[in-house]
Amino acid sequence: MSVLVVGSLALDSIETPFGSVHDAIGGSATYISVAASYFVNPIRIVGVVGGDFPSSAITFLEERKVDIDGLQVIKDGKTFRWSGRYRYDLNERDTLSTDLNVFEKFDPEIPEKYRKTRCVCLGNIDPVLQLKVLDQMDNPRLVVCDTMNYWIDRKKADLQKTLKRINILILNDSEARLLSQEPNLIKAGRVIRSMGPRVVIIKKGEHGALLLTDQMTFSAPAYPMENIFDPTGAGDSFAGGFVGWLARTDDTSEENLKRAVIYGSTLASFCVEKFSVDGLKDLTYLRIQDRFREFRELSRFEDL
Ligand code: AMP
């Protein structure tokens, strides 16, 4: 199954206790596409950048066999910029600035040849734009959606409209609490599922992820890492690995959703090992599978 990815393409400035980068390649659509590209080809990307988006980033997407025909380039505009700082506890991040720039007037235009794509991954962008994308699609089979506190705070009503039209929502623990107004994550998942999506995935940073459906609660561990350089993009890489696996296998059974969560966690673990998208460069399907298998050992134990 091919995958259409819509989201931000960004230049990120990031500070972590281990270093900093300025105007590094980022954005939700970038991370999702690159992570998913290890599972299915081509990934189709729809987004917008300014004339300042480096050609090396475009080349990198092309090398990963990402179809960029749906990428709008506004020559005299500036690319979306985000800057953030992580504290010693890398689970905590402060957004220092969000400059929408060319995103402010972005009107996603889905090219005719993309409209029948069966799997859609809506990266973290304005939920009004997420809805516009769905309006142009011809009956997709699987719609996976990501969001973040920025949109829950500012556009909750629009987000709720989006939620009615998706199958799977991925968000992190604090976002789940914010959206549901419920501190307990199991209950929060139930409240969010009542808003529309059949499946909710709640990411808990270095504590793993919860997969919640009406039939089951699956708790996936996170890969224990000694060297985390930059958590930026971990959530999007998770979404890319997750959706990539589902698209590759064309199977949304509960057992396969669990595998997809582990593939998502695997891609997230590679992402955080380096700054920006560097951790997702030069992976191979075999390396990904090796780490996937290591996950199985993490919480396997024998009964007496
Ligand atoms: P993650 O660490 O996976 O939650 O996502 C990080 C990426 O999200 C960064 O590369 C940012 O460029 C992008 N980002 C941050 N804020 C926003 C926003 N309000 N809308 C769209 N993308 C964003």
Side-chain angles (χ1 to χ4, degrees), residues 4 6 32 120-124 130 133-134 143-146 162 166:
L4 174 75
V6 186
I32 294 171
V120 179
C121 187
L122 300 169
N124 158 37
Q130 293 178 325
V133 170
L134 292 181
V143 181
V144 177
C145 177
D146 189 7
T162 304
I166 65 163

Side-chain angles (χ1 to χ4, degrees), residues 7-12 25-28 31 80-82 86 93 95 98 100 103 124-126 146 148 150-151 172 175 203 231-237:
S8 56
L9 292 102
L11 293 175
D12 291 339
I25 302 164
S28 54
Y31 284 105
F80 171 79
R81 274 178 173 69
W82 175 80
Y86 294 86
R93 132 170 126 191
T95 289
T98 301
L100 294 177
F103 247 106
N124 158 37
I125 46 169
D126 187 333
D146 189 7
M148 75 185 285
Y150 186 87
W151 303 115
N172 72 28
E175 292 156 358
K203 298 166 291 175
T232 308
D236 301 315
S237 304

Side-chain angles (χ1 to χ4, degrees), residues 114-262:
Y114 287 1
R115 294 188 181 187
K116 285 193 164 34
T117 310
R118 289 164 77 209
C119 177
V120 179
C121 187
L122 300 169
N124 158 37
I125 46 169
D126 187 333
V128 174
L129 300 183
Q130 293 178 325
L131 279 172
K132 278 192 172 181
V133 170
L134 292 181
D135 285 342
Q136 295 172 66
M137 297 305 293
D138 186 1
N139 213 4
R141 203 166 128 178
L142 179 67
V143 181
V144 177
C145 177
D146 189 7
T147 191
M148 75 185 285
N149 51 357
Y150 186 87
W151 303 115
I152 301 171
D153 281 334
R154 289 167 178 76
K155 300 267 177 102
K156 191 165 174 181
D158 293 306
L159 180 61
Q160 279 176 320
K161 286 186 202 152
T162 304
L163 294 183
K164 289 201 169 56
R165 296 179 54 187
I166 65 163
N167 306 103
I168 303 179
L169 180 69
I170 303 177
L171 72 183
N172 72 28
D173 42 7
S174 61
E175 292 156 358
R177 292 187 174 108
L178 185 66
L179 178 59
S180 63
Q181 298 290 304
E182 168 58 59
N184 177 281
L185 292 180
I186 306 291
K187 290 181 185 163
R190 202 173 300 132
V191 172
I192 297 169
R193 282 199 298 103
S194 74
M195 296 174 181
R198 186 176 70 84
V199 177
V200 173
I201 294 169
I202 302 179
K203 298 166 291 175
K204 300 181 294 171
E206 63 180 337
H207 304 299
L210 286 173
L211 164 65
L212 304 162
T213 73
D214 57 346
Q215 304 285 332
M216 66 155 173
T217 299
F218 174 65
S219 177
Y223 189 73
M225 308 201 51
E226 283 194 46
N227 296 309
I228 300 181
F229 276 97
D230 175 13
T232 308
D236 301 315
S237 304
F238 178 98
F242 176 82
V243 84
W245 176 255
L246 291 183
R248 183 186 180 99
T249 51
D250 195 3
D251 172 4
T252 52
S253 65
E254 299 209 330
E255 282 311 309
N256 207 47
L257 285 171
K258 292 181 192 173
R259 285 183 208 109
V261 167
I262 303 296

